[in-house]
Amino acid sequence: MMSTKVLTSLVVLCCLSAVWAMPGDLVLMKDGISMGAVCLDGTPPGYYFRPGSGSGRSKLIMHMEGGGWCYNEDDCVGRSKTNLGSSKNWGPTASFNGFLSDDPQLNPLFYNWTLVFLKYCDGASFAGNVDKVVNWKDTDLHFRGFRILDLAVESVKSIANFSEVILTGCSAGGLATYIHTDYVASKFPGATFHAIADAGYFIDANNVNGEPLIRKEYQYVFKMQNCAGGVNQDCVKDLSPKGEEWKCFFPQYTEPYIKNKLFGLNSQYDTWQLGNILQLPCNPPKCTPDQMKLLENFGKEFLEAAADFIAGDSRGFFFDSCLHHCQSLGGEWTNIMVNGQRANETFATWYYEGSGSGSGREVDCAYPCNHSC
């Protein structure tokens, strides 16, 4: 149970800045090469590791990095030459903020937990698994994201016998959290397991012209990288007779199958989704009345898509109406408020099963109502 003192400390974190931080060290999983668990360009995958301290040594936060997807082979060739497709230029250390901070002033409940920050280099939210190397325009591509995830989990399990595990991720890593929660949980059978998906609830919605652009893009990624074996298998089992396995790449279709405890952290007006799914041709509030109507309708679509999530007994959520994308890694984690609760407070209340002043399940009013944005 959380103490009143700790809960009070959560409230006053909004204006503090980190005064110190211990970076995580890069661990390259070179043994993955022989197992075919490699980045797009064939280099070894890896993660940043920061050991826990005190009681946090036996507690794990495993964060999956985000960074979009490569939507076709040409796109993947370009991505394979960047840090999102190759480990060649990853730095030896990295520091983290927000929910991943090791500053007890900023992150009093989780600062001393062991941290694994899994680098993203496969382009399909750690879901792809194509046996053969794909040669595209004289470039070899390796679609092996699910093998990377599997290798990482086995590597992490060798660190300690963890009693508590939180799986998390932002953006494409947030989507990865939805599609991999049950799989990763199955690898830690003796641990208390929770997941928090940040800005990963990408909805199956049309753009401003009524075109299902994101659906087509996800369908191609799903097929190109052979993702059917790397998403929730209960979802695949139900949808494969209809040839709709690709739906399991969307949170709204896969979430009802997730058995483990899950917290959703998302803006109803996520800026990435406004620009890339809705393709809104303006920056709110500098939009025409017709464009603002499109924005309003998208927020309604988001809540409709998340209806099952909101109704779930084992679910927690913080769905605000601010214009942003990802919040657990920065100031939004402690600044934005919904119904008098901040995101970090809402998650803590849910995680510790109602020990806080809120419900652990907060849904905001419609844009632009929230003055904490």
Side-chain angles (χ1 to χ4, degrees):
M1 299 290 284
M2 283 188 297
S3 68
T4 302
K5 182 178 179 181
V6 171
L7 280 172
T8 301
S9 71
L10 286 171
V11 176
V12 298
L13 300 180
C14 63
C15 300
L16 295 174
S17 58
V19 294
W20 61 275
M22 183 173 74
D25 294 320
L26 180 64
V27 176
L28 282 178
M29 297 182 289
K30 296 181 180 180
D31 52 339
I33 294 178
S34 62
M35 302 166 59
V38 292
C39 297
L40 282 172
D41 70 338
T43 53
Y47 55 84
Y48 288 102
F49 173 70
R50 189 184 68 211
S53 61
S55 62
R57 288 193 181 95
S58 64
K59 300 175 182 180
L60 170 70
I61 295 174
M62 183 172 178
H63 180 97
M64 294 178 286
E65 185 181 27
W69 311 271
C70 51
Y71 297 104
N72 53 51
E73 290 83 354
D74 286 335
D75 197 17
C76 291
V77 167
R79 190 183 184 94
S80 71
K81 305 180 190 305
T82 73
N83 283 347
L84 288 171
S86 171
S87 63
K88 289 179 180 178
N89 297 312
W90 291 349
T93 63
S95 298
F96 307 99
N97 296 311
F99 178 54
L100 307 185
S101 172
D102 64 339
D103 186 332
Q105 289 185 305
L106 294 176
N107 192 23
L109 300 181
F110 305 101
Y111 75 95
N112 65 340
W113 284 38
T114 299
L115 173 65
V116 167
F117 186 96
L118 181 58
K119 289 290 290 178
Y120 182 36
C121 64
D122 65 277
S125 290
F126 302 99
N129 190 14
V130 177
D131 284 332
K132 293 183 179 180
V133 176
V134 176
N135 185 273
W136 190 261
K137 296 183 178 178
D138 297 324
T139 298
D140 286 343
L141 296 172
H142 304 76
F143 296 140
R144 307 282 176 73
F146 191 66
R147 297 189 196 186
I148 292 173
L149 176 64
D150 196 46
L151 177 68
V153 169
E154 293 303 318
S155 176
V156 170
K157 285 173 61 179
S158 69
I159 296 171
N161 184 22
F162 293 106
S163 61
E164 293 183 53
V165 176
I166 297 177
L167 179 69
T168 183
C170 166
S171 191
L175 172 60
T177 304
Y178 285 111
I179 61 181
H180 298 307
T181 283
D182 282 354
Y183 177 75
V184 175
S186 73
K187 299 296 183 176
F188 295 93
T192 300
F193 188 93
H194 296 72
I196 172 173
D198 182 5
Y201 208 91
F202 300 96
I203 65 172
D204 184 13
N206 293 338
N207 66 10
V208 294
N209 298 316
E211 302 163 335
L213 178 64
I214 190 66
R215 174 182 288 198
K216 291 180 179 178
E217 290 176 335
Y218 273 13
Q219 285 176 329
Y220 196 89
V221 172
F222 194 88
K223 182 178 180 180
M224 174 180 68
Q225 293 226 24
N226 188 33
C227 295
V231 295
N232 188 293
Q233 292 303 288
D234 289 334
C235 179
V236 169
K237 182 179 178 180
D238 275 2
L239 296 181
S240 58
K242 303 175 184 177
E244 295 181 338
E245 300 97 323
W246 56 269
K247 283 187 173 181
C248 301
F249 210 64
F250 277 101
Q252 69 197 78
Y253 304 123
T254 203
E255 182 276 329
Y257 295 92
I258 299 173
K259 299 181 179 68
N260 286 273
K261 292 182 178 179
L262 175 65
F263 188 93
L265 181 65
N266 229 101
S267 169
Q268 302 167 41
Y269 307 89
D270 181 281
T271 50
W272 191 94
Q273 297 195 53
L274 292 180
N276 295 276
I277 295 180
L278 181 61
Q279 297 188 310
L280 189 69
C282 62
N283 292 316
K286 298 179 180 179
C287 300
T288 67
D290 286 344
Q291 290 168 338
M292 290 302 292
K293 186 66 175 177
L294 291 169
L295 174 74
E296 177 185 336
N297 289 338
F298 188 84
K300 293 178 181 177
E301 280 191 82
F302 179 90
L303 291 181
E304 289 172 359
D308 284 341
F309 191 108
I310 293 170
D313 291 337
S314 64
R315 305 297 185 240
F317 41 84
F318 187 89
F319 293 150
D320 64 87
S321 60
C322 299
L323 300 175
H324 62 85
H325 180 63
C326 289
Q327 57 188 297
S328 64
L329 305 182
E332 296 92 344
W333 181 235
T334 53
N335 292 343
I336 294 174
M337 299 186 72
V338 174
N339 300 326
Q341 299 293 306
R342 293 179 172 85
N344 65 325
E345 297 171 318
T346 304
F347 175 70
T349 297
W350 172 79
Y351 188 84
Y352 289 101
E353 298 182 351
S355 299
S357 59
S359 65
R361 299 159 63 89
E362 306 294 348
V363 176
D364 209 354
C365 48
Y367 177 86
C369 73
N370 193 324
H371 300 296
S372 70
C373 297

